[in-house]
Amino acid sequence: MRATWEGLTLEAIDHELVWAGAGNAAAAREPLGSFSDAHLVQEPVRRLVSGYLMVAAAPGAEGFTISSHGHPVGVISTDVDSASGTVITVGLAGDIELEEGVVRSSAGIALVADAGTQLRAVAAADPAGRPGAVVARGASGTGCGLTLVHGPAAVKVENRMRLLASLERVGGRHG
């Protein structure tokens, strides 16, 4: 299930896995099969729900709220950078760790970068609870993409990251 809003393409890959892409990344990406156990609403609130992971925006909202079990845990938006083109910015609640193309948040969300997309942490969460931010960018003109992986328990995040790697390795669901 796929939708594009305000330059951000969202695709439900599997239960608790949602891919987000911007720029040319969506056109270049082969879908990882047909995961139909998701919920998509176009209006008045744009919303894609996969399990307990939801990405949604009310009319006039800046960016899309990422929710875990109905509670906001982050914000995702797109922007244009003069050096690299379209970028995705993700603000996450809680502490964040960035390691080898993967960001883990203590809020129970991980971000897994697509091949060719670099993730860079630009701020750490502050005591007031404002999210730390991560910027995803691809090479100039290529767009960028990442997968939101929901736990919220750390072991579930790790299991779903292994599922994502398996789906990517075999080219998605077949059948």
Side-chain angles (χ1 to χ4, degrees):
M1 188 167 295
R2 185 182 266 204
T4 301
W5 300 305
E6 297 176 23
L8 183 67
T9 299
L10 299 169
E11 177 188 344
I13 297 173
D14 204 290
H15 184 74
E16 314 274 353
L17 298 173
V18 172
W19 180 80
N24 299 333
R29 177 180 167 76
E30 288 292 324
L32 290 179
S34 58
F35 180 70
S36 59
D37 192 15
H39 180 70
L40 176 66
V41 175
Q42 298 284 354
E43 56 184 47
V45 174
R46 295 165 292 174
R47 167 179 33 233
L48 177 65
V49 181
S50 179
Y52 294 103
L53 174 63
M54 178 174 69
V55 182
E62 286 196 28
F64 294 82
T65 300
I66 302 166
S67 297
S68 167
H69 296 267
H71 301 283
V73 294
V75 176
I76 185 168
S77 61
T78 60
D79 200 358
V80 177
D81 178 285
S82 60
S84 62
T86 305
V87 297
I88 298 173
T89 302
V90 183
L92 292 170
D95 296 326
I96 59 173
E97 294 178 16
L98 172 60
E99 184 179 320
E100 298 179 27
V102 176
V103 171
R104 289 175 179 81
S105 163
S106 60
I109 301 285
L111 309 175
V112 179
D114 286 1
T117 294
Q118 294 182 334
L119 299 178
R120 181 172 59 93
V122 294
D126 66 12
R130 288 184 284 272
V134 176
V135 174
R137 69 179 74 237
S140 183
T142 62
C144 55
L146 56 86
T147 302
L148 303 165
V149 181
H150 179 256
V155 68
K156 287 184 178 182
V157 169
E158 296 304 319
N159 287 339
R160 290 184 179 120
M161 286 173 43
R162 282 194 290 283
L163 172 61
L164 174 63
S166 294
L167 289 171
E168 289 173 336
R169 195 171 34 258
V170 299
R173 292 180 173 278
H174 302 282

